[in-house]
Amino acid sequence: MTDQPNYDGEFDAIVVGAGLAGSAAALTMARRDLDVLMIERGAAPGTKNVFGGVMYTPTIRELADIEDAPTERYIAEKRYSVLSREGDETAVTMRPEAWNEEPHNDSFTVLRRNFDEWFADQSVEAGATLITETTVTDLLRDGSQIVGVETDRPDGAIEAPIVVLAEGANSLVSEGADLKSKADREDVAVAVKEVRKFDRETIEERFRLDGDAGAAYHYFGDGAVPDVVGGGYIYPNKRTISIGVAYRIEDAATRDRSPEDVLDEFKSHPAVAPLVRGGRMVEYSAHAIPEGGADAVPDLVHDGAVIVGDAAGMVLNNGVHLEGTNMAVESGYQAGEAVADALETGRTSASALSQYRQNMEESFVIQNLEHYDFFHELIAEDREFLFDRLPRALAEAQQEYFRMDKTPKAEHASRAKSRVLDAAGGWVGAAKRAWKYRRMLS
Amino acid sequence: MSATDDTTAETPPIEDRLYTVKYSDSGDSHLGVTIPGICAERCVTQDCESVCPADVWQVEDDGVPTIAYENCLECGSCRWACPHGNVEWEYPETGNGVSYKFG
C-alpha cells in the first residue's frame, strides 16, 4: 500500500469508515451505479468496532441477504433487571413465542469483527472499492465546498464530489472540519466489555436457550453501576458471552472507580456472578457511545458531505430501548439514496443533499430521538431515586408482600405498598413521578 | 503468554485484560497533552486518568501525565473528559493500534 494509486476523479463518493452506516451508504450508492471508495482505518472492517451486542436488522434485511450474515443468536428473551448494592434483584423477563419465529423481531446478537466485514463485503460485491489501514485525517475544500479527503498515506489526498462521513463516535474529521462540535462529556458514555468463551452447552443451560435462541439481559441500579448514570448488560452468543457496562464520561471522571473496576463489580453482583462465572476472557474492549439525543445531532448535510451513524449521534438509549445499529444502517441507506439523487442532477451542495435530512427527520431515527429526548436529563436528575432508593424499596416490598408469618395478607400488602410509596415520596411524589415518566409509555 | 495469564479469573488485572487485545505499534504516540503547563498548574482532578479503561494515563508528581499509548483501546473517553481540552488525540496511523477479534 505504499504506492497510492491516483484516485482523483475516479470516484463519485468517498465513504469515511466501513462500519454499519458507512457500508450501508456504500452499498446503496454502488447499487445506484455510483463509483464508491470506502476508506477504513482498521486492518479489516470491524477491527476497530465495538458495541454491546444486539444488531437490529429491519433495514439491513432490505439491503442484503440476512440469512447469509454471521449472526450469533436471535433474541428470544428480553430481561430487565434492577440491582441494589445490597445484592437484591428485581427482574422482568419476556419470552413471546413469536420471537422464536422468523424474522425473530429483527434482533440478533452478533460480533462486530465478523459482521461488519460481511456487511462491507456486500458493498464490494456491489462494486464499491474498499481500502483499509488508511486513516482519513482531514477534508479537502474548494471554498466552502468539500471536494475530497486527506489521508495518512503518501500523496494521500483523494478528490470526489461527495464525502460520506461514517467515522463513528469519535468523529475527529467532522469536528476538525467544523461540521459538528465536540459533545459535552455528559452526553457521551464510556463503555467497557468483556467477551468470555464457554462451551455452547454451558451457555444454553445458564440462559435457558435452545438452538440459536439468545437473550438480552439489561441491568440498572446501583448494584449494576454504582453512583453513576448507566447500566450493565449480558448477551449470550453462540460460544461466548458479552458482558459490559456503560455510563456517562462525566460520571467516570468524577467517581473514584475506573471503568474496569465498575465492570468487575457488576460481574461480582450475586445476581450476575453465576451467569458469567468461569470461562475464559478472550477479549476486553472499550468504546464511546454518543447519547446526547436529538439535540446533539449535528447538521446532517453540508456542501459536498453528509454525516451518518454514530458520527451523527444516532443512538437511542431510553433505558428500555438501547438502539443504534438500526439507526446507523437507516441513516447510511437514506444518505446513499440522497447522494445518488443529487448526483443524477449534477449537484452536490447542501441544499441538493437536503433530502437526506428530510427523510431522516421523517424516519423513526429522529422521531424516536425527539420523543425520548427528555429521558437523559430526567434520569440524571432522579438518579438517587432510580438507582438507589427504588431498587432497595422494591426488594423490601417483595419481602413484605410474600412474608411467611401469621399476619393476614392484607397487612403484608399494605406494608409492601408503603415501602414503595415512601421511596417515591408518598402519594404526591409518586404522582409527580408517574407524570414525569408518562412519556415512557406513550 | 503474559506472566500471570489470569484470563480465567473473574477480576483480572488490567495487564491481563489488555493482553487479550491485538495491538500493532506504530512507534509514535497518537496521544499527547497540548500544553503540559496546564496539567501542572491548572489541573486538580486528573480526569484523563479517572476515565481511562486501559491505564494509559498516569499522572506523575509534577502533575503532568505519562502516556502509555500502546495500552490505548481508542475509545476516546479522555478526549471528552479533559475539562481543559488539553488532550491531543489522533487515530493511530496506517492501521496501527488496537485490532478487535470479536468486537
Side-chain angles (χ1 to χ4, degrees):
Chain A
M1 290 287 304
T2 46
D3 287 333
Q4 187 86 349
N6 183 3
Y7 285 135
D8 288 350
E10 293 284 311
F11 294 101
D12 299 306
I14 294 169
V15 179
V16 181
L20 297 172
S23 287
L27 177 56
T28 304
M29 292 189 290
R31 293 243 171 95
R32 296 278 305 262
D33 289 330
L34 298 183
D35 290 316
V36 179
L37 175 65
M38 304 166 81
I39 305 179
E40 164 58 42
R41 69 186 182 93
T47 56
K48 298 287 188 180
N49 301 351
V50 179
F51 80 149
V54 185
M55 184 70 55
Y56 298 105
T57 56
T59 310
I60 291 186
R61 180 180 299 285
E62 291 169 1
L63 299 175
D65 181 7
I66 192 78
E67 301 300 312
D68 195 34
T71 55
E72 290 284 317
R73 293 176 180 273
Y74 67 85
I75 302 299
E77 170 183 333
K78 280 181 190 273
R79 179 178 161 89
Y80 294 93
S81 172
V82 286
L83 304 179
S84 83
R85 215 189 293 249
E86 287 73 17
D88 309 300
E89 178 179 39
T90 302
V92 183
T93 291
M94 285 153 277
R95 286 185 168 233
E97 181 52 29
W99 291 353
N100 287 310
E101 290 149 26
E102 301 271 355
H104 303 302
N105 196 34
D106 271 318
S107 309
F108 302 86
T109 55
V110 315
L111 295 163
R112 293 292 295 278
R113 172 64 183 84
N114 292 339
F115 192 90
D116 287 20
E117 186 165 47
W118 167 82
F119 197 35
D121 276 348
Q122 310 301 304
S123 317
V124 172
E125 280 169 28
T129 301
L130 169 67
I131 59 173
T132 57
E133 300 188 319
T134 302
T135 305
V136 171
T137 54
D138 205 353
L139 298 178
L140 304 177
R141 287 191 194 255
D142 180 2
S144 73
Q145 184 76 25
I146 291 155
V147 295
V149 299
E150 186 64 61
T151 72
D152 62 355
R153 291 291 174 179
D155 300 320
I158 309 170
E159 291 182 7
I162 296 283
V163 176
V164 177
L165 290 154
E167 51 178 334
N170 217 353
S171 49
L172 301 180
V173 179
S174 305
E175 288 173 34
D178 284 331
L179 305 187
K180 65 177 278 196
S181 54
K182 190 170 126 192
D184 294 333
R185 66 187 199 178
E186 291 82 6
D187 287 339
V188 186
V190 53
V192 289
K193 168 177 167 179
E194 260 180 51
V195 178
R196 295 187 79 86
K197 194 159 181 44
F198 293 85
D199 61 72
R200 210 174 157 146
E201 226 169 53
T202 303
I203 292 173
E204 290 172 1
E205 277 170 14
R206 280 188 194 182
F207 293 87
R208 305 181 301 136
L209 304 171
D210 272 324
D212 288 335
Y217 284 21
H218 297 131
Y219 295 88
F220 309 93
D222 274 349
V225 283
D227 298 321
V228 302
V229 176
Y233 61 82
I234 306 174
Y235 301 120
N237 304 308
K238 279 195 180 109
R239 290 174 188 83
T240 56
I241 296 177
S242 299
I243 313 136
V245 294
Y247 56 100
R248 303 189 311 167
I249 289 175
E250 165 68 15
D251 298 333
T254 52
R255 308 296 189 271
D256 58 4
R257 288 178 184 81
S258 68
E260 70 271 22
D261 291 342
V262 172
L263 175 59
D264 281 339
E265 275 185 59
F266 170 57
K267 284 164 53 195
S268 66
H269 190 281
V272 173
L275 294 171
V276 301
R277 173 177 297 151
R280 178 185 167 82
M281 180 175 55
V282 290
E283 188 162 274
Y284 172 61
S285 56
H287 212 75
I289 309 174
E291 295 194 333
D295 289 346
V297 174
D299 285 341
L300 297 178
V301 296
H302 301 268
D303 292 330
V306 292
I307 309 180
V308 297
D310 273 11
M314 290 174 186
V315 172
L316 176 69
N317 174 1
N318 66 7
V320 178
H321 303 103
L322 303 150
E323 301 178 9
T325 54
N326 51 338
M327 301 159 79
V329 175
E330 179 69 15
S331 70
Y333 165 71
Q334 294 290 356
E337 289 287 347
V339 168
D341 287 349
L343 287 178
E344 270 178 12
T345 67
R347 297 163 63 227
T348 58
S349 64
S351 69
L353 296 165
S354 64
Q355 176 198 320
Y356 166 50
R357 182 179 55 217
Q358 281 160 20
N359 286 351
M360 289 312 288
E361 281 167 2
E362 287 162 19
S363 76
F364 69 93
V365 177
I366 299 295
Q367 302 227 344
N368 288 346
L369 284 177
E370 285 178 346
H371 185 78
Y372 293 107
D373 218 22
F374 69 99
F375 181 76
H376 277 259
E377 209 175 316
L378 193 60
I379 58 166
E381 274 171 20
D382 224 4
R383 207 212 77 79
E384 200 227 330
F385 167 71
L386 290 171
F387 284 72
D388 181 29
R389 274 186 287 152
L390 186 62
R392 281 190 288 124
L394 288 171
E396 286 166 12
Q398 290 148 24
Q399 290 172 67
E400 292 300 342
Y401 191 80
F402 292 104
R403 190 178 292 285
M404 191 44 63
D405 59 11
K406 298 202 233 175
T407 313
K409 297 220 182 288
E411 176 66 18
H412 291 160
S414 157
R415 280 191 214 149
K417 195 167 65 185
S418 44
R419 290 288 189 277
V420 177
L421 270 180
D422 286 352
W427 284 112
V428 175
K432 278 188 185 160
R433 289 209 158 84
W435 178 250
K436 274 201 290 189
Y437 292 100
R438 72 194 181 283
R439 292 177 67 183
M440 290 304 298
L441 299 171
S442 64
Chain B
M1 300 298 277
S2 70
T4 52
D5 185 23
D6 253 349
T7 49
T8 54
E10 256 87 64
T11 57
I14 192 72
E15 307 82 65
D16 288 312
R17 290 188 170 286
L18 296 173
Y19 175 71
T20 65
V21 184
K22 189 180 159 206
Y23 189 87
S24 154
D25 188 353
S26 71
D28 282 323
S29 177
H30 62 291
L31 308 172
V33 294
T34 315
I35 304 169
I38 290 182
C39 303
E41 285 151 36
R42 284 202 227 145
C43 179
V44 289
T45 53
Q46 288 93 36
D47 291 345
C48 55
E49 193 176 299
S50 304
V51 302
C52 180
D55 273 11
V56 169
W57 302 85
Q58 202 88 51
V59 177
E60 301 295 331
D61 291 343
D62 63 358
V64 181
T66 56
I67 304 170
Y69 71 92
E70 68 283 2
N71 283 2
C72 180
L73 300 171
E74 295 165 36
C75 69
S77 297
C78 53
R79 196 170 74 86
W80 283 284
C82 179
H84 308 285
N86 205 30
V87 168
E88 293 271 313
W89 209 107
E90 286 171 9
Y91 284 122
E93 54 188 26
T94 56
N96 286 293
V98 290
S99 219
Y100 290 118
K101 299 186 299 284
F102 295 90

